[in-house]
């Protein structure tokens, strides 16, 4: 698998890796995503679904959300020396319109929109982003108390859609 990076190359200490081979590891659906569950696809991954909208497309965003694993929560970089994130993403039938990595502290959010251009989407796509990437938006003070991490997807059409997340670290 070729490594495709976002705008900036990141080097991150691997503290926790979620591979989803046996369980969803407490990840859940957020926003307009109908469900998130463990899947056998790709040898074990996290599956996120958007329900069909019928005839008319209405833009929606939904997320794979983690808010219980202490390996991803707390102060960044902190004792774990978290300097960035990496994950693999697969679009089953419809390409996403947008993909964001979001860090929360309560209701406040710090996010980066991931670059989707130039990708073949013929299989798993790797995304790697450092906390020093200049394209992060919001208040970086959130890094003093991260309470949740999300991979947010904007659906691409009115049809039912499935996306997969793997190797989140």
């Amino acid at each position: 698998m070729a490594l495709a990076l976002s705008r900036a190359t990141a080097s991150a200490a691997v503290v926790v890796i979620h591979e989803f081979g046996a369980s969803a590891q407490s990840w859940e659906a957020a926003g307009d995503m109908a469900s998130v569950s463990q899947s056998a696809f790709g040898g074990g991954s996290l599956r996120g679904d958007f329900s069909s909208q019928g005839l008319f497309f209405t833009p929606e965003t939904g997320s794979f959300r983690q808010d219980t694993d202490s390996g991803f929560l707390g102060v960044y970089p902190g004792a774990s020396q978290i300097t960035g994130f990496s994950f693999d993403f697969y679009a089953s039938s419809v390409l996403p319109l947008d993909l964001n990595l979001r860090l929360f502290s309560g209701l406040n959010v710090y996010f980066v929109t991931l670059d989707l251009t130039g990708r073949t989407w013929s299989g798993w796509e790797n995304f790697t982003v450092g906390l020093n990437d200049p394209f992060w938006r919001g208040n970086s003070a959130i890094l003093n108390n991260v309470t949740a991490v999300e991979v947010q997807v904007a659906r691409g059409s009115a049809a039912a859609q499935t996306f997969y997340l793997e190797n989140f670290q």
Side-chain angles (χ1 to χ4, degrees):
M1 170 188 346
L3 181 65
L5 302 178
S6 73
R7 293 178 182 97
T9 301
S11 170
V14 177
V15 179
V16 176
I17 182 168
H18 284 186
E19 294 178 318
F20 312 112
S23 76
Q25 296 181 302
S26 299
W27 286 72
E28 58 193 14
D32 296 314
M33 190 170 280
S35 65
V36 164
S37 60
Q38 189 276 339
S39 168
F41 180 78
S45 58
L46 199 60
R47 175 184 171 146
D49 294 306
F50 284 97
S51 300
S52 173
Q53 293 181 328
L55 290 177
F56 302 104
F57 173 61
T58 303
E60 290 181 326
T61 58
S63 299
F64 296 91
R65 182 180 176 90
Q66 171 56 255
D67 60 6
T68 62
D69 189 324
S70 62
F72 296 120
L73 310 179
V75 177
Y76 284 22
S80 299
Q81 294 300 301
I82 296 172
T83 58
F85 295 90
S86 178
F87 62 90
D88 297 325
F89 189 81
Y90 184 88
S92 180
S93 58
V94 179
L95 299 182
L97 291 179
D98 208 6
L99 191 62
N100 296 294
L101 179 61
R102 298 165 25 118
L103 306 177
F104 286 84
S105 181
L107 297 176
N108 299 308
V109 66
Y110 190 53
F111 72 97
V112 62
T113 299
L114 301 168
D115 190 0
L116 303 181
T117 59
R119 295 181 177 274
T120 63
W121 294 101
S122 59
W124 288 97
E125 293 287 339
N126 179 267
F127 292 88
T128 300
V129 62
L131 289 176
N132 62 349
D133 188 309
F135 294 99
W136 284 92
R137 299 291 176 249
N139 185 345
S140 62
I142 286 170
L143 300 177
N144 293 320
N145 184 30
V146 175
T147 58
V149 176
E150 286 186 358
V151 175
Q152 182 187 57
V153 184
R155 70 181 303 149
S157 76
Q161 291 161 52
T162 299
F163 299 99
Y164 295 91
L165 179 69
E166 173 64 321
N167 298 319
F168 190 91
Q169 55 189 320

